[in-house]
Amino acid sequence: MRNMYLGELLDACTKSSSIVIKLHEIQNEKFRNFCDSKWLYPIGVFRFLSLYLKNKVFSSKNIGYKLAIVSIVKNEGKYLEEWIEYYNSIGVDHIYIYDNESIDNTEEICNKYSDKVSYFKINGKVRQCDAYNDALNRYGNSCEYMAMIDSDEFIFAPPTNENILGKITSHFQSNKKVGGLAINWEMFGSSGYTKKPDGRVTDNFIYRATDNFEKNKHIKTICNPRKVAGFVNPHYAVYMPGYYAVDAEDNVSKGAFTEVVHNKELRINHYFTKSKEEFLAKRARGMADNLDIRKISDFDEHDRNEVFDDSLKKYNNNF
């Protein structure tokens, strides 16, 4: 088990290095495989030592943001404004958006919120973890916590979002060994829509899966950037020695899934499918973390509408 962790740690340190992130811009499968192989582990050793020493001299005076969000997007312009406004409303201080070759109005929308949003372009396929790692490298010391999430994911504290930031930060403050908070999905379905409806996503899609739906065991991560070695999977971080992630009930969490869904205090409303029309558009965009194309059957697998849940719609009406 220890050897597995050391291998994962070295892999994360290597892939999160600015050198390897830059090399990933070269879109050649064989070269990518070389960059992600053990041949470059000496870079990881150097980066680990660099992170260790940098954390020794870190001063909290450098922190400008309590909570920031990092996200990679592609042609999400029609949804982005709602998503940014939502996170502004709950008190997120800043959002780092990495635009993966969008051809819509994504850049224009980000520029509209330039006081709250930092916008970057990132080209090529399979760049999601590169985006997360670049944000850690460049802005980790400016943020107390960073949430690595997608633009169809809304962190929510049921039933009303009361004190959501306090609920997030309490998990870190109660145990100094906690490097990350693993929050489970709450999967929302199509609510019966075949075509894209007008209005907000969070107003329109108000039916979801039951809490124990298998896909809800997936987690996304809010982390303390100084306790993270890097991301090699978009769902979870690899932590520096001595640190770990916990779930919403403070159990140690490892990997991309929890054994049990914990969504009473915090959850991520995940609007994965939206309408059938929107899912097909999502499928055509491709995936940010691998070269696969989503199967048509993914719609049916994720289109779960057993539970009426308009909690975010009610939140919108109040704010």
Side-chain angles (χ1 to χ4, degrees):
M1 183 70 87
R2 180 176 174 80
N3 288 339
M4 286 179 60
Y5 166 70
L6 290 176
E8 188 178 43
L9 176 64
L10 196 51
D11 192 40
C13 286
T14 303
K15 291 177 181 175
S16 63
S17 70
S18 57
I19 295 172
V20 173
I21 293 171
K22 186 70 176 176
L23 290 175
H24 283 168
E25 293 178 5
I26 300 173
Q27 294 289 290
N28 177 282
E29 186 174 355
K30 289 185 178 179
F31 184 73
R32 175 68 181 242
N33 290 337
F34 168 74
C35 291
D36 292 344
S37 71
K38 295 181 180 180
W39 287 104
L40 296 189
Y41 274 9
I43 294 175
V45 173
F46 179 81
R47 173 160 169 75
F48 171 78
L49 294 173
S50 173
L51 286 171
Y52 179 80
L53 293 174
K54 188 165 64 173
N55 288 340
K56 283 288 187 182
V57 299
F58 170 76
S59 172
S60 60
K61 294 178 182 178
N62 297 325
I63 292 178
Y65 304 128
K66 186 78 171 178
L67 176 62
I69 285 174
V70 181
S71 189
I72 185 170
V73 303
K74 183 171 185 176
N75 294 330
E76 297 280 359
K78 64 185 70 173
Y79 311 110
L80 201 53
E81 195 156 5
E82 173 189 355
W83 185 79
I84 292 171
E85 290 280 7
Y86 173 74
Y87 282 108
N88 283 344
S89 77
I90 67 169
V92 168
D93 295 309
H94 204 75
I95 302 175
Y96 299 96
I97 290 181
Y98 288 76
D99 184 352
N100 190 205
E101 302 179 347
S102 294
I103 57 173
D104 63 0
N105 62 339
T106 290
E107 184 173 6
E108 179 184 338
I109 291 171
C110 290
N111 288 339
K112 178 180 175 182
Y113 295 92
S114 58
D115 60 328
K116 286 282 191 175
V117 174
S118 294
Y119 172 86
F120 312 95
K121 292 186 177 181
I122 187 167
N123 296 326
K125 298 182 183 299
V126 195
R127 303 304 308 278
Q128 187 165 6
C129 287
D130 286 340
Y132 292 173
N133 289 325
D134 183 71
L136 285 172
N137 293 343
R138 297 168 67 182
Y139 305 108
N141 281 347
S142 300
C143 307
E144 190 162 2
Y145 308 110
M146 279 180 157
M148 304 336 203
I149 59 173
D150 295 333
S151 59
D152 60 357
E153 296 175 332
F154 293 72
I155 302 170
F156 182 66
T160 62
N161 253 349
E162 183 178 358
N163 192 31
I164 184 169
L165 293 187
K167 290 176 180 178
I168 290 170
T169 58
S170 66
H171 294 276
F172 295 91
Q173 293 166 351
S174 62
N175 183 348
K176 298 305 180 184
K177 294 296 183 181
V178 171
L181 176 61
I183 305 181
N184 286 105
W185 279 346
E186 192 77 275
M187 191 69 67
F188 280 70
S190 68
S191 290
Y193 288 105
T194 56
K195 298 290 185 180
K196 180 184 180 303
D198 294 331
R200 294 187 185 100
V201 169
T202 51
D203 284 345
N204 291 322
F205 299 100
I206 53 176
Y207 288 89
R208 62 170 174 83
T210 56
D211 291 344
N212 62 356
F213 177 47
E214 190 71 17
K215 297 293 183 183
N216 288 340
K217 291 182 178 179
H218 281 83
I219 60 96
K220 282 295 186 71
T221 296
I222 301 175
C223 67
N224 177 330
R226 288 154 300 285
K227 297 178 181 179
V228 171
F231 280 81
V232 294
N233 181 298
H235 290 270
Y236 67 94
V238 178
Y239 297 94
M240 294 292 285
Y243 301 106
Y244 49 82
V246 296
D247 62 29
E249 295 189 3
D250 290 323
N251 306 300
V252 173
S253 176
K254 296 181 180 180
F257 313 93
T258 54
E259 292 184 8
V260 178
V261 178
H262 302 291
N263 53 19
K264 302 304 180 188
E265 180 191 42
L266 291 165
R267 72 189 198 197
I268 294 177
N269 286 14
H270 191 192
Y271 299 90
F272 177 84
T273 63
K274 304 183 183 76
S275 67
K276 185 68 173 285
E277 177 184 54
E278 290 165 287
F279 173 80
L280 293 176
K282 176 190 184 105
R283 179 175 181 268
R285 288 194 296 270
M287 301 169 71
D289 62 334
N290 64 69
L291 295 172
D292 294 341
I293 300 296
R294 298 186 191 280
K295 299 175 183 178
I296 296 292
S297 59
D298 280 355
F299 178 83
D300 295 323
E301 187 177 359
H302 292 83
D303 184 24
R304 304 294 294 267
N305 301 279
E306 295 93 334
V307 179
F308 175 76
D309 186 341
D310 66 345
S311 49
L312 261 186
K313 183 176 182 179
K314 289 178 179 176
Y315 174 81
N316 293 337
N317 290 337
N318 290 331
F319 291 90

